[in-house]
Amino acid sequence: MKILLLGYFKDEQSGVYIGEAFKKLGHQVIGIDIREIWATYGSTEAQEKIITEIDKNNFIPDMVLVLKGLSLTLPTLKKIKDKFKKAIFVNWFFDFYLHGIPIWENESYFD
């Protein structure tokens, strides 16, 4: 399976070990550090930079795995979904709380 991993990689963040685990299972993985792009360019400019990074890889994934995804806006996510219509999209949000409240109680994090 070809997996596009959109996550956090700097300082051995979760994207590193999740990507490596998929590779050990025989999957092809391309990772893009969306948090680093967001931190470097700011939230607005980062969205186009993320799309540019995806395009540079010329990679058609079977699955797009987003780790947390707080660095992606809804329009950016829609662009990615339009680009890879056949891919399975998974958002893996492995924290229970965000800003002190359970993630499932904050409707602004759901579409």
Side-chain angles (χ1 to χ4, degrees):
M1 177 182 286
K2 292 181 176 181
I3 301 169
L4 174 60
L5 182 58
L6 303 176
Y8 312 139
F9 296 87
K10 187 177 181 180
D11 300 326
E12 298 298 312
Q13 290 284 329
S14 51
V16 174
Y17 66 82
I18 292 169
E20 289 303 313
F22 278 116
K23 287 177 185 177
K24 284 181 182 178
L25 292 170
H27 301 289
Q28 187 178 357
V29 180
I30 296 285
I32 297 174
D33 192 332
I34 59 175
R35 181 188 278 171
E36 185 64 23
I37 294 171
W38 184 85
T40 302
Y41 295 100
S43 60
T44 303
E45 190 178 348
Q47 304 310 305
E48 281 304 314
K49 295 289 185 184
I50 290 166
I51 298 297
T52 299
E53 284 298 310
I54 290 170
D55 290 342
K56 281 193 333 190
N57 285 296
N58 197 24
F59 184 77
I60 307 297
D62 301 303
M63 179 172 70
V64 177
L65 176 56
V66 180
L67 304 179
K68 294 187 182 179
L70 297 173
S71 303
L72 296 172
T73 62
L74 186 56
T76 300
L77 186 57
K78 286 181 178 179
K79 283 181 185 178
I80 298 167
K81 282 183 155 186
D82 286 343
K83 183 172 183 59
F84 305 120
K85 292 183 188 303
K86 293 183 180 182
I88 298 165
F89 279 76
V90 177
N91 184 25
W92 185 1
F93 201 100
F94 30 82
D95 291 333
F96 293 116
Y97 292 89
L98 189 62
H99 305 295
I101 62 171
I103 188 69
W104 55 88
E105 290 181 8
N106 190 336
E107 290 185 21
S108 68
Y109 293 110
F110 302 94
D111 58 35

